[in-house]
Amino acid sequence: MSKSAILRSSIAKKYWMALTGLFLCTFLIGHLIGNLQLIFIHGEEGRRAFNEYAYFMQHNIFIKVLSYVTYISILFHAIDGLMLAVQNKKARPQKYAYNNAGANSSTASRQMALLGSIVLIFIVTHMVNFWAKMHFEHIPLHTYEVTLPQQTNPEMVYYTHNHSLIPIQVDKVVVVRDETNLYLENTDLKLGEGYKDLHSVVMAFFGQSKNGFVTNSLALWATILYVISMAVMAFHLWHGFASAFQSLGLRHKRYTPIIAVTGKLFAIVVPFLFAIIPVLIFIGYVK
Amino acid sequence: MASKTININLKIWRQKNANSKGSMETYKLDNVSTDSSFLEMLDQLNEQLVNERKEPIAFDHDCREGICGSCSLFINGEAHGPDRAVTTCQLHMRKFKDGETIYVEPWRAKAFPVIKDLVVDRSSFDRIQQAGGFVSVNTSGNTIDANAIPIGKAAADKAFEAATCIGCGACVASCVNASAMLFVSAKVSQLALLPQGKVEAQQRVLNMVKQMDEEGFGNCTNTGACAVECPKEISLENIARMNREYLKAMVSAE
Ligand code: HEM
Ligand code: SF4
Ligand code: FES
């Protein structure tokens, strides 16, 4: 067996599509749970929770590795998918004058490359909107008072720093904020990080009202774009989820119907929950 | 039941030979019995054309009873026409309405080039078969009775179902990707399920898939169109089985 078959044979290409596709489905779940904080935790608490989460996602080594696997999966899935689509176009150089394809298959199943390409354009746009901002641009920091733990001895304050409790004697705890971090007054002791205020960036992106940011006249268009993209994603998954199991040869009288139903539910629920986030921000339900 | 007749319009692909550019031509045919088969209707049209001293339409056919897989027409946008689980020769004109315009086209795939009119060259299927769709049997005088080997009922039934594929190519014709996966998977399954076929199973699936790819068929996206249009109702289960067989062979064959 030639080594190249692992990348070149039609069936092996499908294994890669299925594996990367299913991995991206798990990515969607993780990403969704993180994002749902935007609508389930309100006010200042929500802002803090989301910014801490964003900070964690950028700094945790495990997440970092996972994020690279995700980038590679998207690239691989997209390139492999487009290569397959080009080959498939070539396999029928002359079209039918009249093709009643709707009689035998779903539109989504026949348009995976088109749907995927729209999703790809969305992913790129989305990354420019937020990911690039977060990584490469200056974002104002979100700093806040740190409530130190209740102490038995009022003279002594313990603060966790690098996993150890550090006692410091103070009269009064005053948190000083600078651009990046929170320090105990007159000390070098860092009490916490200042978080890049991604929450406000998101709110300003989709929200019409002010959040200390300029009112965004593009918010409506951004919201529409995101909702449409999620609808496209839904169609991609409507066929894709169950299809991936078939590609991997995972088919069984008992489990395949369950996979099919799960796939349809996944295709509806996940993009729907993603889509309501910008909508709720736009209509001002969350600020 | 009294036989009814209908008048129809036909749009049929005409192409002189493999190298010429074809086009859809329009024909009118009256008094078609609804009891006639689609091919009998074409015979009637050809008679009319011959009487008009025009070139009759070339189309493939042989058994005319759904077992040889020769007939191969893409009728009103579907392989073997709108009916299910039938070949073109088993399709009846009662499926069409009086005054209806019926489109008739050849299978369209790079791997099935048109030879003339509605006739396509399906030798790519033969070459896939030759690449591995067989079992090697000792014929030097001590042949073993195949029925002497016990085979479980479930496997025997599945192998038999896969073996009912008549190699017509409707799966390729209906597939948006012109993929031959249903045909190849039926041929792989039919042998892989049986003890006699297990011996060469790994090499078989690798070689048949390799040949399939080389012939220029597209890649399966699991649309399922093939199984819907297949006159023998070959199941997608066979494609899943081939995907498993191929994975096993790919990681373990030497
Ligand atoms: C988060 C984003 C995405 C997810 C979760 C996803 C998921 C999936 C899944 C599960 C499949 C089924 C695989 C199979 O049938 O074996 C699939 C197929 C496909 N995807 Fe995606 N996909 C995503 C983005 C994309 C992108 C950006 C493209 C780029 C063009 C794309 C193009 C395709 C194509 C062409 C197929 C059909 C491949 C085939 O069945 O042969 N997808 N996708
Ligand atoms: S699988 Fe069905 S449609 Fe395809 S060649 Fe065999 S009988 Fe014809
Ligand atoms: S002519 Fe033999 S199957 Fe139709």
Side-chain angles (χ1 to χ4, degrees):
Chain A
M1 162 109 248
S2 65
K3 292 269 183 302
S4 62
I6 291 174
L7 285 174
R8 292 227 191 94
S9 101
S10 57
I11 296 186
K13 280 211 199 81
K14 293 284 327 233
Y15 299 149
W16 289 113
M17 284 311 283
L19 289 174
T20 50
L22 286 179
F23 175 76
L24 290 174
C25 287
T26 62
F27 154 76
L28 288 183
I29 295 176
H31 193 37
L32 177 64
I33 292 170
N35 287 4
L36 284 177
Q37 294 179 90
L38 283 166
I39 55 170
F40 284 124
I41 314 175
H42 292 245
E44 200 53 26
E45 199 196 330
R47 186 170 165 212
R48 181 170 161 182
F50 188 73
N51 287 338
E52 274 181 18
Y53 159 75
Y55 180 90
F56 169 77
M57 295 304 279
Q58 262 192 51
H59 293 81
N60 182 287
I61 181 70
F62 178 69
I63 302 287
K64 250 207 158 94
V65 172
L66 213 55
S67 74
Y68 283 107
V69 179
T70 308
Y71 304 145
I72 291 167
S73 289
I74 292 173
L75 274 179
F76 203 97
H77 186 86
I79 293 169
D80 202 26
L82 292 174
M83 271 167 39
L84 285 166
V86 169
Q87 278 185 343
N88 292 346
K89 280 267 169 302
K90 282 197 195 140
R92 175 164 297 131
Q94 167 100 45
K95 300 264 162 305
Y96 289 106
Y98 174 39
N99 191 351
N100 185 16
N104 54 41
S105 50
S106 73
T107 310
S109 73
R110 280 177 275 116
Q111 299 297 346
M112 288 302 274
L114 176 66
L115 295 167
S117 301
I118 298 173
V119 172
L120 182 65
I121 294 170
F122 167 75
I123 294 173
V124 173
T125 317
H126 178 56
M127 286 179 80
V128 169
N129 293 342
F130 299 112
W131 179 88
K133 259 204 194 109
M134 190 72 178
H135 282 78
F136 307 123
E137 278 180 34
H138 175 78
I139 290 186
L141 293 167
H142 173 207
T143 52
Y144 43 83
E145 307 263 351
V146 175
T147 323
L148 295 175
Q150 289 265 300
Q151 307 295 330
T152 40
N153 178 357
E155 300 287 288
M156 297 288 280
V157 162
Y158 292 91
Y159 187 72
T160 21
H161 183 65
N162 286 343
H163 307 292
S164 52
L165 283 177
I166 300 171
I168 15 162
Q169 196 151 17
V170 284
D171 302 329
K172 202 173 104 202
V173 177
V174 178
V175 174
V176 179
R177 307 166 193 171
D178 72 357
E179 264 271 291
T180 47
N181 295 309
L182 309 173
Y183 293 96
L184 198 63
E185 193 176 31
N186 299 329
T187 70
D188 286 340
L189 183 62
K190 198 160 99 178
L191 296 182
E193 304 270 358
Y195 298 105
K196 286 191 176 181
D197 198 359
L198 192 62
H199 186 271
S200 297
V201 172
V202 175
M203 294 299 155
F205 192 79
F206 297 114
Q208 299 165 291
S209 56
K210 304 164 273 296
N211 280 301
F213 281 77
V214 209
T215 308
N216 189 349
S217 54
L218 286 175
L220 175 65
W221 292 113
T223 307
I224 291 173
L225 174 83
Y226 274 62
V227 171
I228 291 175
S229 300
M230 284 308 106
V232 171
M233 169 93 85
F235 281 108
H236 194 73
L237 295 172
W238 183 260
H239 175 68
F241 189 95
S243 169
F245 289 85
Q246 168 83 358
S247 295
L248 293 169
L250 301 171
R251 190 186 175 101
H252 189 279
K253 242 203 193 85
R254 209 170 318 136
Y255 308 117
T256 298
I258 301 171
I259 292 167
V261 173
T262 311
K264 308 252 137 132
L265 280 177
F266 189 91
I268 295 170
V269 173
V270 171
F272 174 79
L273 289 175
F274 268 119
I276 57 167
I277 298 170
V279 171
L280 291 181
I281 298 172
F282 181 75
I283 62 171
Y285 171 76
V286 274
K287 291 196 176 75
Chain B
M1 195 179 88
S3 164
K4 225 180 87 183
T5 61
I6 53 173
N7 303 334
I8 51 172
N9 298 305
L10 291 147
K11 285 189 184 292
I12 301 180
W13 181 259
R14 300 303 307 265
Q15 182 172 336
K16 223 182 176 61
N17 56 47
N19 302 318
S20 62
K21 227 173 99 68
S23 62
M24 296 297 283
E25 302 295 332
T26 308
Y27 302 93
K28 225 180 123 37
L29 188 63
D30 291 342
N31 294 321
V32 179
S33 162
T34 51
D35 287 344
S36 65
S37 78
F38 202 85
L39 296 188
E40 283 164 347
M41 180 276 290
L42 286 180
D43 292 338
Q44 192 180 334
L45 175 63
N46 273 347
E47 221 165 294
Q48 177 177 312
L49 289 175
V50 169
N51 288 339
E52 292 168 3
R53 304 198 178 280
K54 288 182 186 150
E55 172 96 4
I57 299 155
F59 60 90
D60 257 331
H61 61 102
D62 188 11
C63 72
R64 296 211 177 196
E65 57 178 357
I67 53 170
C68 74
S70 301
C71 58
S72 50
L73 299 179
F74 204 76
I75 301 159
N76 271 354
E78 288 182 75
H80 296 302
D83 211 356
R84 293 287 171 253
V86 291
T87 52
T88 298
C89 58
Q90 296 170 300
L91 176 67
H92 284 91
M93 291 312 293
R94 64 180 79 98
K95 292 283 161 187
F96 301 91
K97 289 192 287 289
D98 190 33
E100 190 170 343
T101 299
I102 305 169
Y103 283 74
V104 190
E105 297 176 70
W107 289 170
R108 293 284 185 207
K110 184 170 160 240
F112 287 166
V114 173
I115 299 169
K116 183 181 167 68
D117 294 340
L118 301 170
V119 181
V120 298
D121 177 359
R122 282 170 285 182
S123 57
S124 46
F125 267 15
D126 300 340
R127 287 187 293 274
I128 294 173
Q129 274 292 65
Q130 285 152 12
F134 50 79
V135 286
S136 304
V137 180
N138 187 345
T139 54
S140 61
N142 51 352
T143 10
I144 301 159
D145 180 2
N147 292 328
I149 305 169
I151 298 165
K153 169 98 169 94
D157 284 352
K158 285 193 168 164
F160 185 81
E161 274 165 28
T164 58
C165 163
I166 52 178
C168 64
C171 42
V172 174
S174 352
C175 176
V176 65
N177 311 311
S179 163
M181 288 285 276
L182 195 64
F183 164 76
V184 181
S185 70
K187 299 303 170 197
V188 163
S189 289
Q190 147 194 355
L191 300 172
L193 283 160
L194 300 176
Q196 294 94 330
K198 290 223 170 20
V199 185
E200 293 155 305
Q202 289 201 334
Q203 237 20 73
R204 174 181 309 114
V205 69
L206 293 175
N207 291 342
M208 289 181 84
V209 168
K210 185 158 173 275
Q211 190 64 37
M212 170 180 90
D213 290 350
E214 279 170 10
E215 296 292 346
F217 290 103
N219 308 281
C220 176
T221 44
N222 304 323
T223 68
C226 51
V228 174
E229 301 291 355
C230 171
K232 299 298 156 188
E233 302 183 297
I234 300 293
S235 162
L236 296 175
E237 193 185 328
N238 292 295
I239 296 184
R241 183 177 299 106
M242 178 160 77
N243 288 339
R244 282 198 298 278
E245 288 283 323
Y246 191 83
L247 186 60
K248 263 192 285 179
M250 194 176 76
V251 296
S252 63
E254 314 223 323

